[in-house]
Amino acid sequence: MCLNLKNRAHCLNHNAHSLGVCYEGGLDIRGQPDDTRTPEQKKALRWLLRQLHRTYPRAVIVGHHDLDPQKDCPCIENVAKEYADLKPK
């Protein structure tokens, strides 16, 4: 898991104002993008995002591909929909 505030490894042009959260996986056995999260990973990711949302209540949860269409990650079909309950109020 990486939380990244300022280095270029997260998402170009968005590092100064965002946190990057990574999970292991995301590729199928052929190396193609796929949501390979286990139930435990899904639970842990939701817990982490809920904790971060408490600290940053105005933050919007998006995937890399929402900020940079060249990126396939994360391999979650619709990040905004999956975490809609954590939208800023």
Side-chain angles (χ1 to χ4, degrees), residues 26-59:
L27 299 176
D28 65 17
I29 60 172
R30 294 177 300 285
Q32 298 301 307
D34 191 26
D35 184 356
T36 59
R37 293 173 298 161
T38 65
E40 293 82 7
Q41 283 177 307
K42 288 181 180 185
K43 183 177 176 182
L45 182 56
R46 176 164 283 285
W47 179 88
L48 175 61
L49 293 175
R50 190 175 293 119
Q51 298 306 311
L52 289 170
H53 185 64
R54 287 180 180 145
T55 303
Y56 306 101
R58 294 180 21 215

PDB file of all heavy atoms in Angstrom, residues 26-59:
ATOM      1  N   GLY A  26      -4.646  -6.769  -9.843  1.00  0.00           N
ATOM      2  CA  GLY A  26      -5.153  -5.957 -10.930  1.00  0.00           C
ATOM      3  C   GLY A  26      -4.893  -6.512 -12.309  1.00  0.00           C
ATOM      4  O   GLY A  26      -5.255  -5.899 -13.300  1.00  0.00           O
ATOM      5  N   LEU A  27      -4.255  -7.692 -12.383  1.00  0.00           N
ATOM      6  CA  LEU A  27      -4.006  -8.327 -13.679  1.00  0.00           C
ATOM      7  C   LEU A  27      -4.446  -9.780 -13.614  1.00  0.00           C
ATOM      8  O   LEU A  27      -4.249 -10.460 -12.609  1.00  0.00           O
ATOM      9  CB  LEU A  27      -2.518  -8.275 -14.032  1.00  0.00           C
ATOM     10  CG  LEU A  27      -1.905  -6.880 -14.172  1.00  0.00           C
ATOM     11  CD1 LEU A  27      -0.409  -6.997 -14.435  1.00  0.00           C
ATOM     12  CD2 LEU A  27      -2.579  -6.084 -15.274  1.00  0.00           C
ATOM     13  N   ASP A  28      -5.032 -10.248 -14.718  1.00  0.00           N
ATOM     14  CA  ASP A  28      -5.409 -11.656 -14.770  1.00  0.00           C
ATOM     15  C   ASP A  28      -4.188 -12.510 -15.120  1.00  0.00           C
ATOM     16  O   ASP A  28      -3.072 -11.988 -15.230  1.00  0.00           O
ATOM     17  CB  ASP A  28      -6.568 -11.879 -15.742  1.00  0.00           C
ATOM     18  CG  ASP A  28      -6.219 -11.587 -17.199  1.00  0.00           C
ATOM     19  OD1 ASP A  28      -5.014 -11.519 -17.558  1.00  0.00           O
ATOM     20  OD2 ASP A  28      -7.147 -11.445 -18.010  1.00  0.00           O
ATOM     21  N   ILE A  29      -4.367 -13.804 -15.302  1.00  0.00           N
ATOM     22  CA  ILE A  29      -3.230 -14.697 -15.553  1.00  0.00           C
ATOM     23  C   ILE A  29      -2.535 -14.423 -16.885  1.00  0.00           C
ATOM     24  O   ILE A  29      -1.404 -14.839 -17.091  1.00  0.00           O
ATOM     25  CB  ILE A  29      -3.638 -16.190 -15.461  1.00  0.00           C
ATOM     26  CG1 ILE A  29      -4.717 -16.530 -16.484  1.00  0.00           C
ATOM     27  CG2 ILE A  29      -4.106 -16.533 -14.069  1.00  0.00           C
ATOM     28  CD1 ILE A  29      -5.032 -18.013 -16.576  1.00  0.00           C
ATOM     29  N   ARG A  30      -3.194 -13.701 -17.793  1.00  0.00           N
ATOM     30  CA  ARG A  30      -2.592 -13.326 -19.072  1.00  0.00           C
ATOM     31  C   ARG A  30      -1.936 -11.947 -19.011  1.00  0.00           C
ATOM     32  O   ARG A  30      -1.474 -11.428 -20.015  1.00  0.00           O
ATOM     33  CB  ARG A  30      -3.645 -13.373 -20.177  1.00  0.00           C
ATOM     34  CG  ARG A  30      -4.157 -14.777 -20.461  1.00  0.00           C
ATOM     35  CD  ARG A  30      -5.263 -14.805 -21.514  1.00  0.00           C
ATOM     36  NE  ARG A  30      -6.446 -14.030 -21.161  1.00  0.00           N
ATOM     37  CZ  ARG A  30      -7.381 -14.376 -20.266  1.00  0.00           C
ATOM     38  NH1 ARG A  30      -7.278 -15.501 -19.619  1.00  0.00           N
ATOM     39  NH2 ARG A  30      -8.422 -13.609 -20.026  1.00  0.00           N
ATOM     40  N   GLY A  31      -1.973 -11.319 -17.812  1.00  0.00           N
ATOM     41  CA  GLY A  31      -1.383  -9.997 -17.665  1.00  0.00           C
ATOM     42  C   GLY A  31      -2.290  -8.868 -18.116  1.00  0.00           C
ATOM     43  O   GLY A  31      -1.838  -7.741 -18.280  1.00  0.00           O
ATOM     44  N   GLN A  32      -3.576  -9.160 -18.288  1.00  0.00           N
ATOM     45  CA  GLN A  32      -4.536  -8.149 -18.720  1.00  0.00           C
ATOM     46  C   GLN A  32      -5.237  -7.533 -17.498  1.00  0.00           C
ATOM     47  O   GLN A  32      -5.459  -8.214 -16.504  1.00  0.00           O
ATOM     48  CB  GLN A  32      -5.586  -8.774 -19.644  1.00  0.00           C
ATOM     49  CG  GLN A  32      -5.001  -9.342 -20.923  1.00  0.00           C
ATOM     50  CD  GLN A  32      -4.284  -8.279 -21.727  1.00  0.00           C
ATOM     51  OE1 GLN A  32      -4.831  -7.234 -22.031  1.00  0.00           O
ATOM     52  NE2 GLN A  32      -3.029  -8.556 -22.070  1.00  0.00           N
ATOM     53  N   PRO A  33      -5.604  -6.253 -17.566  1.00  0.00           N
ATOM     54  CA  PRO A  33      -6.283  -5.611 -16.444  1.00  0.00           C
ATOM     55  C   PRO A  33      -7.539  -6.376 -16.027  1.00  0.00           C
ATOM     56  O   PRO A  33      -8.336  -6.787 -16.870  1.00  0.00           O
ATOM     57  CB  PRO A  33      -6.651  -4.231 -16.993  1.00  0.00           C
ATOM     58  CG  PRO A  33      -5.671  -3.986 -18.089  1.00  0.00           C
ATOM     59  CD  PRO A  33      -5.416  -5.342 -18.700  1.00  0.00           C
ATOM     60  N   ASP A  34      -7.684  -6.586 -14.722  1.00  0.00           N
ATOM     61  CA  ASP A  34      -8.838  -7.304 -14.177  1.00  0.00           C
ATOM     62  C   ASP A  34      -8.953  -6.979 -12.692  1.00  0.00           C
ATOM     63  O   ASP A  34      -7.942  -6.767 -12.024  1.00  0.00           O
ATOM     64  CB  ASP A  34      -8.653  -8.814 -14.369  1.00  0.00           C
ATOM     65  CG  ASP A  34      -9.909  -9.608 -14.064  1.00  0.00           C
ATOM     66  OD1 ASP A  34     -11.020  -9.058 -14.181  1.00  0.00           O
ATOM     67  OD2 ASP A  34      -9.774 -10.786 -13.704  1.00  0.00           O
ATOM     68  N   ASP A  35     -10.161  -6.930 -12.196  1.00  0.00           N
ATOM     69  CA  ASP A  35     -10.372  -6.698 -10.762  1.00  0.00           C
ATOM     70  C   ASP A  35     -10.119  -8.007 -10.039  1.00  0.00           C
ATOM     71  O   ASP A  35     -10.969  -8.885  -9.998  1.00  0.00           O
ATOM     72  CB  ASP A  35     -11.789  -6.194 -10.513  1.00  0.00           C
ATOM     73  CG  ASP A  35     -12.040  -5.836  -9.055  1.00  0.00           C
ATOM     74  OD1 ASP A  35     -11.139  -6.054  -8.209  1.00  0.00           O
ATOM     75  OD2 ASP A  35     -13.136  -5.336  -8.765  1.00  0.00           O
ATOM     76  N   THR A  36      -8.939  -8.147  -9.478  1.00  0.00           N
ATOM     77  CA  THR A  36      -8.544  -9.398  -8.818  1.00  0.00           C
ATOM     78  C   THR A  36      -8.586  -9.281  -7.297  1.00  0.00           C
ATOM     79  O   THR A  36      -8.049 -10.147  -6.599  1.00  0.00           O
ATOM     80  CB  THR A  36      -7.114  -9.785  -9.240  1.00  0.00           C
ATOM     81  OG1 THR A  36      -6.223  -8.720  -8.874  1.00  0.00           O
ATOM     82  CG2 THR A  36      -7.030 -10.048 -10.730  1.00  0.00           C
ATOM     83  N   ARG A  37      -9.227  -8.231  -6.776  1.00  0.00           N
ATOM     84  CA  ARG A  37      -9.260  -8.052  -5.326  1.00  0.00           C
ATOM     85  C   ARG A  37      -9.972  -9.215  -4.641  1.00  0.00           C
ATOM     86  O   ARG A  37     -11.015  -9.668  -5.087  1.00  0.00           O
ATOM     87  CB  ARG A  37      -9.984  -6.754  -4.956  1.00  0.00           C
ATOM     88  CG  ARG A  37      -9.258  -5.515  -5.388  1.00  0.00           C
ATOM     89  CD  ARG A  37     -10.084  -4.283  -5.154  1.00  0.00           C
ATOM     90  NE  ARG A  37     -11.319  -4.349  -5.948  1.00  0.00           N
ATOM     91  CZ  ARG A  37     -12.403  -3.627  -5.701  1.00  0.00           C
ATOM     92  NH1 ARG A  37     -12.442  -2.793  -4.694  1.00  0.00           N
ATOM     93  NH2 ARG A  37     -13.461  -3.739  -6.473  1.00  0.00           N
ATOM     94  N   THR A  38      -9.395  -9.647  -3.555  1.00  0.00           N
ATOM     95  CA  THR A  38     -10.037 -10.667  -2.731  1.00  0.00           C
ATOM     96  C   THR A  38     -11.067  -9.969  -1.833  1.00  0.00           C
ATOM     97  O   THR A  38     -11.014  -8.733  -1.667  1.00  0.00           O
ATOM     98  CB  THR A  38      -9.002 -11.376  -1.826  1.00  0.00           C
ATOM     99  OG1 THR A  38      -8.481 -10.401  -0.892  1.00  0.00           O
ATOM    100  CG2 THR A  38      -7.865 -11.997  -2.641  1.00  0.00           C
ATOM    101  N   PRO A  39     -11.986 -10.730  -1.240  1.00  0.00           N
ATOM    102  CA  PRO A  39     -12.921 -10.099  -0.292  1.00  0.00           C
ATOM    103  C   PRO A  39     -12.184  -9.363   0.832  1.00  0.00           C
ATOM    104  O   PRO A  39     -12.615  -8.284   1.257  1.00  0.00           O
ATOM    105  CB  PRO A  39     -13.729 -11.280   0.249  1.00  0.00           C
ATOM    106  CG  PRO A  39     -13.693 -12.290  -0.857  1.00  0.00           C
ATOM    107  CD  PRO A  39     -12.313 -12.147  -1.462  1.00  0.00           C
ATOM    108  N   GLU A  40     -11.065  -9.906   1.267  1.00  0.00           N
ATOM    109  CA  GLU A  40     -10.290  -9.263   2.324  1.00  0.00           C
ATOM    110  C   GLU A  40      -9.704  -7.938   1.850  1.00  0.00           C
ATOM    111  O   GLU A  40      -9.671  -6.962   2.593  1.00  0.00           O
ATOM    112  CB  GLU A  40      -9.177 -10.197   2.817  1.00  0.00           C
ATOM    113  CG  GLU A  40      -9.672 -11.424   3.537  1.00  0.00           C
ATOM    114  CD  GLU A  40     -10.110 -12.568   2.601  1.00  0.00           C
ATOM    115  OE1 GLU A  40      -9.906 -12.473   1.359  1.00  0.00           O
ATOM    116  OE2 GLU A  40     -10.662 -13.541   3.110  1.00  0.00           O
ATOM    117  N   GLN A  41      -9.202  -7.909   0.604  1.00  0.00           N
ATOM    118  CA  GLN A  41      -8.664  -6.665   0.059  1.00  0.00           C
ATOM    119  C   GLN A  41      -9.771  -5.622  -0.079  1.00  0.00           C
ATOM    120  O   GLN A  41      -9.568  -4.447   0.213  1.00  0.00           O
ATOM    121  CB  GLN A  41      -8.011  -6.892  -1.300  1.00  0.00           C
ATOM    122  CG  GLN A  41      -6.643  -7.522  -1.221  1.00  0.00           C
ATOM    123  CD  GLN A  41      -6.089  -7.787  -2.604  1.00  0.00           C
ATOM    124  OE1 GLN A  41      -6.738  -8.420  -3.436  1.00  0.00           O
ATOM    125  NE2 GLN A  41      -4.886  -7.304  -2.850  1.00  0.00           N
ATOM    126  N   LYS A  42     -10.935  -6.040  -0.542  1.00  0.00           N
ATOM    127  CA  LYS A  42     -12.054  -5.104  -0.684  1.00  0.00           C
ATOM    128  C   LYS A  42     -12.434  -4.520   0.671  1.00  0.00           C
ATOM    129  O   LYS A  42     -12.662  -3.314   0.799  1.00  0.00           O
ATOM    130  CB  LYS A  42     -13.263  -5.794  -1.311  1.00  0.00           C
ATOM    131  CG  LYS A  42     -13.075  -6.101  -2.776  1.00  0.00           C
ATOM    132  CD  LYS A  42     -14.309  -6.770  -3.340  1.00  0.00           C
ATOM    133  CE  LYS A  42     -14.121  -7.083  -4.811  1.00  0.00           C
ATOM    134  NZ  LYS A  42     -15.326  -7.634  -5.425  1.00  0.00           N
ATOM    135  N   LYS A  43     -12.476  -5.360   1.681  1.00  0.00           N
ATOM    136  CA  LYS A  43     -12.828  -4.907   3.025  1.00  0.00           C
ATOM    137  C   LYS A  43     -11.766  -3.937   3.555  1.00  0.00           C
ATOM    138  O   LYS A  43     -12.092  -2.882   4.098  1.00  0.00           O
ATOM    139  CB  LYS A  43     -12.964  -6.109   3.963  1.00  0.00           C
ATOM    140  CG  LYS A  43     -13.385  -5.750   5.354  1.00  0.00           C
ATOM    141  CD  LYS A  43     -13.562  -7.004   6.208  1.00  0.00           C
ATOM    142  CE  LYS A  43     -13.902  -6.644   7.634  1.00  0.00           C
ATOM    143  NZ  LYS A  43     -14.024  -7.829   8.482  1.00  0.00           N
ATOM    144  N   ALA A  44     -10.491  -4.281   3.383  1.00  0.00           N
ATOM    145  CA  ALA A  44      -9.397  -3.429   3.862  1.00  0.00           C
ATOM    146  C   ALA A  44      -9.369  -2.098   3.113  1.00  0.00           C
ATOM    147  O   ALA A  44      -9.138  -1.042   3.719  1.00  0.00           O
ATOM    148  CB  ALA A  44      -8.061  -4.153   3.717  1.00  0.00           C
ATOM    149  N   LEU A  45      -9.599  -2.124   1.809  1.00  0.00           N
ATOM    150  CA  LEU A  45      -9.589  -0.900   1.020  1.00  0.00           C
ATOM    151  C   LEU A  45     -10.732   0.012   1.447  1.00  0.00           C
ATOM    152  O   LEU A  45     -10.553   1.213   1.623  1.00  0.00           O
ATOM    153  CB  LEU A  45      -9.679  -1.222  -0.468  1.00  0.00           C
ATOM    154  CG  LEU A  45      -9.638  -0.033  -1.425  1.00  0.00           C
ATOM    155  CD1 LEU A  45      -8.394   0.810  -1.217  1.00  0.00           C
ATOM    156  CD2 LEU A  45      -9.729  -0.529  -2.864  1.00  0.00           C
ATOM    157  N   ARG A  46     -11.916  -0.558   1.638  1.00  0.00           N
ATOM    158  CA  ARG A  46     -13.063   0.245   2.088  1.00  0.00           C
ATOM    159  C   ARG A  46     -12.770   0.847   3.465  1.00  0.00           C
ATOM    160  O   ARG A  46     -13.057   2.017   3.702  1.00  0.00           O
ATOM    161  CB  ARG A  46     -14.334  -0.594   2.139  1.00  0.00           C
ATOM    162  CG  ARG A  46     -15.525   0.188   2.685  1.00  0.00           C
ATOM    163  CD  ARG A  46     -16.833  -0.480   2.382  1.00  0.00           C
ATOM    164  NE  ARG A  46     -17.226  -0.286   1.007  1.00  0.00           N
ATOM    165  CZ  ARG A  46     -17.720   0.857   0.518  1.00  0.00           C
ATOM    166  NH1 ARG A  46     -17.856   1.904   1.301  1.00  0.00           N
ATOM    167  NH2 ARG A  46     -18.068   0.946  -0.732  1.00  0.00           N
ATOM    168  N   TRP A  47     -12.167   0.068   4.369  1.00  0.00           N
ATOM    169  CA  TRP A  47     -11.824   0.572   5.700  1.00  0.00           C
ATOM    170  C   TRP A  47     -10.854   1.752   5.585  1.00  0.00           C
ATOM    171  O   TRP A  47     -11.045   2.790   6.219  1.00  0.00           O
ATOM    172  CB  TRP A  47     -11.218  -0.542   6.561  1.00  0.00           C
ATOM    173  CG  TRP A  47     -10.833  -0.064   7.923  1.00  0.00           C
ATOM    174  CD1 TRP A  47     -11.633  -0.015   9.036  1.00  0.00           C
ATOM    175  CD2 TRP A  47      -9.564   0.473   8.309  1.00  0.00           C
ATOM    176  NE1 TRP A  47     -10.926   0.517  10.089  1.00  0.00           N
ATOM    177  CE2 TRP A  47      -9.655   0.826   9.677  1.00  0.00           C
ATOM    178  CE3 TRP A  47      -8.370   0.683   7.640  1.00  0.00           C
ATOM    179  CZ2 TRP A  47      -8.600   1.382  10.368  1.00  0.00           C
ATOM    180  CZ3 TRP A  47      -7.310   1.244   8.339  1.00  0.00           C
ATOM    181  CH2 TRP A  47      -7.435   1.584   9.686  1.00  0.00           C
ATOM    182  N   LEU A  48      -9.809   1.581   4.764  1.00  0.00           N
ATOM    183  CA  LEU A  48      -8.812   2.635   4.596  1.00  0.00           C
ATOM    184  C   LEU A  48      -9.447   3.891   4.006  1.00  0.00           C
ATOM    185  O   LEU A  48      -9.228   5.003   4.493  1.00  0.00           O
ATOM    186  CB  LEU A  48      -7.662   2.164   3.711  1.00  0.00           C
ATOM    187  CG  LEU A  48      -6.616   3.220   3.363  1.00  0.00           C
ATOM    188  CD1 LEU A  48      -5.943   3.757   4.627  1.00  0.00           C
ATOM    189  CD2 LEU A  48      -5.597   2.658   2.396  1.00  0.00           C
ATOM    190  N   LEU A  49     -10.247   3.729   2.980  1.00  0.00           N
ATOM    191  CA  LEU A  49     -10.879   4.893   2.356  1.00  0.00           C
ATOM    192  C   LEU A  49     -11.830   5.592   3.322  1.00  0.00           C
ATOM    193  O   LEU A  49     -11.912   6.820   3.340  1.00  0.00           O
ATOM    194  CB  LEU A  49     -11.609   4.482   1.077  1.00  0.00           C
ATOM    195  CG  LEU A  49     -10.693   4.016  -0.059  1.00  0.00           C
ATOM    196  CD1 LEU A  49     -11.525   3.516  -1.235  1.00  0.00           C
ATOM    197  CD2 LEU A  49      -9.737   5.108  -0.488  1.00  0.00           C
ATOM    198  N   ARG A  50     -12.528   4.832   4.148  1.00  0.00           N
ATOM    199  CA  ARG A  50     -13.408   5.425   5.152  1.00  0.00           C
ATOM    200  C   ARG A  50     -12.582   6.251   6.151  1.00  0.00           C
ATOM    201  O   ARG A  50     -12.963   7.363   6.516  1.00  0.00           O
ATOM    202  CB  ARG A  50     -14.206   4.345   5.872  1.00  0.00           C
ATOM    203  CG  ARG A  50     -15.311   4.908   6.748  1.00  0.00           C
ATOM    204  CD  ARG A  50     -16.188   3.837   7.374  1.00  0.00           C
ATOM    205  NE  ARG A  50     -16.957   3.131   6.359  1.00  0.00           N
ATOM    206  CZ  ARG A  50     -16.866   1.819   6.124  1.00  0.00           C
ATOM    207  NH1 ARG A  50     -16.068   1.055   6.832  1.00  0.00           N
ATOM    208  NH2 ARG A  50     -17.598   1.268   5.191  1.00  0.00           N
ATOM    209  N   GLN A  51     -11.442   5.720   6.584  1.00  0.00           N
ATOM    210  CA  GLN A  51     -10.573   6.450   7.517  1.00  0.00           C
ATOM    211  C   GLN A  51     -10.038   7.729   6.866  1.00  0.00           C
ATOM    212  O   GLN A  51     -10.026   8.795   7.492  1.00  0.00           O
ATOM    213  CB  GLN A  51      -9.405   5.562   7.970  1.00  0.00           C
ATOM    214  CG  GLN A  51      -9.808   4.326   8.728  1.00  0.00           C
ATOM    215  CD  GLN A  51     -10.699   4.632   9.914  1.00  0.00           C
ATOM    216  OE1 GLN A  51     -10.397   5.500  10.724  1.00  0.00           O
ATOM    217  NE2 GLN A  51     -11.807   3.932  10.024  1.00  0.00           N
ATOM    218  N   LEU A  52      -9.593   7.626   5.628  1.00  0.00           N
ATOM    219  CA  LEU A  52      -9.088   8.805   4.927  1.00  0.00           C
ATOM    220  C   LEU A  52     -10.199   9.833   4.724  1.00  0.00           C
ATOM    221  O   LEU A  52      -9.963  11.044   4.824  1.00  0.00           O
ATOM    222  CB  LEU A  52      -8.474   8.403   3.579  1.00  0.00           C
ATOM    223  CG  LEU A  52      -7.155   7.645   3.674  1.00  0.00           C
ATOM    224  CD1 LEU A  52      -6.768   7.088   2.314  1.00  0.00           C
ATOM    225  CD2 LEU A  52      -6.058   8.543   4.232  1.00  0.00           C
ATOM    226  N   HIS A  53     -11.414   9.367   4.460  1.00  0.00           N
ATOM    227  CA  HIS A  53     -12.547  10.269   4.254  1.00  0.00           C
ATOM    228  C   HIS A  53     -12.847  11.052   5.542  1.00  0.00           C
ATOM    229  O   HIS A  53     -13.248  12.209   5.486  1.00  0.00           O
ATOM    230  CB  HIS A  53     -13.772   9.480   3.799  1.00  0.00           C
ATOM    231  CG  HIS A  53     -14.940  10.341   3.461  1.00  0.00           C
ATOM    232  ND1 HIS A  53     -14.921  11.243   2.426  1.00  0.00           N
ATOM    233  CD2 HIS A  53     -16.158  10.438   4.021  1.00  0.00           C
ATOM    234  CE1 HIS A  53     -16.090  11.859   2.373  1.00  0.00           C
ATOM    235  NE2 HIS A  53     -16.851  11.393   3.342  1.00  0.00           N
ATOM    236  N   ARG A  54     -12.634  10.437   6.683  1.00  0.00           N
ATOM    237  CA  ARG A  54     -12.828  11.153   7.955  1.00  0.00           C
ATOM    238  C   ARG A  54     -11.810  12.284   8.107  1.00  0.00           C
ATOM    239  O   ARG A  54     -12.115  13.339   8.636  1.00  0.00           O
ATOM    240  CB  ARG A  54     -12.726  10.193   9.127  1.00  0.00           C
ATOM    241  CG  ARG A  54     -13.919   9.288   9.240  1.00  0.00           C
ATOM    242  CD  ARG A  54     -13.798   8.344  10.410  1.00  0.00           C
ATOM    243  NE  ARG A  54     -14.980   7.496  10.460  1.00  0.00           N
ATOM    244  CZ  ARG A  54     -14.970   6.235  10.849  1.00  0.00           C
ATOM    245  NH1 ARG A  54     -13.838   5.655  11.234  1.00  0.00           N
ATOM    246  NH2 ARG A  54     -16.076   5.538  10.855  1.00  0.00           N
ATOM    247  N   THR A  55     -10.595  12.044   7.637  1.00  0.00           N
ATOM    248  CA  THR A  55      -9.541  13.055   7.710  1.00  0.00           C
ATOM    249  C   THR A  55      -9.701  14.111   6.627  1.00  0.00           C
ATOM    250  O   THR A  55      -9.438  15.292   6.846  1.00  0.00           O
ATOM    251  CB  THR A  55      -8.153  12.385   7.581  1.00  0.00           C
ATOM    252  OG1 THR A  55      -8.037  11.402   8.613  1.00  0.00           O
ATOM    253  CG2 THR A  55      -7.029  13.394   7.709  1.00  0.00           C
ATOM    254  N   TYR A  56     -10.132  13.686   5.450  1.00  0.00           N
ATOM    255  CA  TYR A  56     -10.289  14.572   4.288  1.00  0.00           C
ATOM    256  C   TYR A  56     -11.727  14.473   3.779  1.00  0.00           C
ATOM    257  O   TYR A  56     -11.989  13.879   2.722  1.00  0.00           O
ATOM    258  CB  TYR A  56      -9.317  14.176   3.176  1.00  0.00           C
ATOM    259  CG  TYR A  56      -7.881  14.107   3.622  1.00  0.00           C
ATOM    260  CD1 TYR A  56      -7.281  12.884   3.909  1.00  0.00           C
ATOM    261  CD2 TYR A  56      -7.131  15.275   3.771  1.00  0.00           C
ATOM    262  CE1 TYR A  56      -5.953  12.831   4.333  1.00  0.00           C
ATOM    263  CE2 TYR A  56      -5.805  15.209   4.196  1.00  0.00           C
ATOM    264  CZ  TYR A  56      -5.238  13.992   4.475  1.00  0.00           C
ATOM    265  OH  TYR A  56      -3.936  13.931   4.885  1.00  0.00           O
ATOM    266  N   PRO A  57     -12.689  15.034   4.492  1.00  0.00           N
ATOM    267  CA  PRO A  57     -14.107  14.833   4.150  1.00  0.00           C
ATOM    268  C   PRO A  57     -14.530  15.413   2.804  1.00  0.00           C
ATOM    269  O   PRO A  57     -15.544  14.992   2.252  1.00  0.00           O
ATOM    270  CB  PRO A  57     -14.855  15.505   5.300  1.00  0.00           C
ATOM    271  CG  PRO A  57     -13.887  16.434   5.920  1.00  0.00           C
ATOM    272  CD  PRO A  57     -12.531  15.847   5.698  1.00  0.00           C
ATOM    273  N   ARG A  58     -13.754  16.330   2.242  1.00  0.00           N
ATOM    274  CA  ARG A  58     -14.114  16.902   0.941  1.00  0.00           C
ATOM    275  C   ARG A  58     -13.437  16.181  -0.218  1.00  0.00           C
ATOM    276  O   ARG A  58     -13.635  16.545  -1.381  1.00  0.00           O
ATOM    277  CB  ARG A  58     -13.773  18.383   0.928  1.00  0.00           C
ATOM    278  CG  ARG A  58     -14.649  19.157   1.924  1.00  0.00           C
ATOM    279  CD  ARG A  58     -14.394  20.638   1.984  1.00  0.00           C
ATOM    280  NE  ARG A  58     -13.755  21.205   0.822  1.00  0.00           N
ATOM    281  CZ  ARG A  58     -12.880  22.195   0.867  1.00  0.00           C
ATOM    282  NH1 ARG A  58     -12.527  22.732   2.010  1.00  0.00           N
ATOM    283  NH2 ARG A  58     -12.341  22.668  -0.231  1.00  0.00           N
ATOM    284  N   ALA A  59     -12.655  15.163   0.089  1.00  0.00           N
ATOM    285  CA  ALA A  59     -11.930  14.437  -0.963  1.00  0.00           C
ATOM    286  C   ALA A  59     -12.886  13.625  -1.830  1.00  0.00           C
ATOM    287  O   ALA A  59     -13.883  13.094  -1.356  1.00  0.00           O
ATOM    288  CB  ALA A  59     -10.897  13.512  -0.340  1.00  0.00           C
TER     289      ALA A  59
END
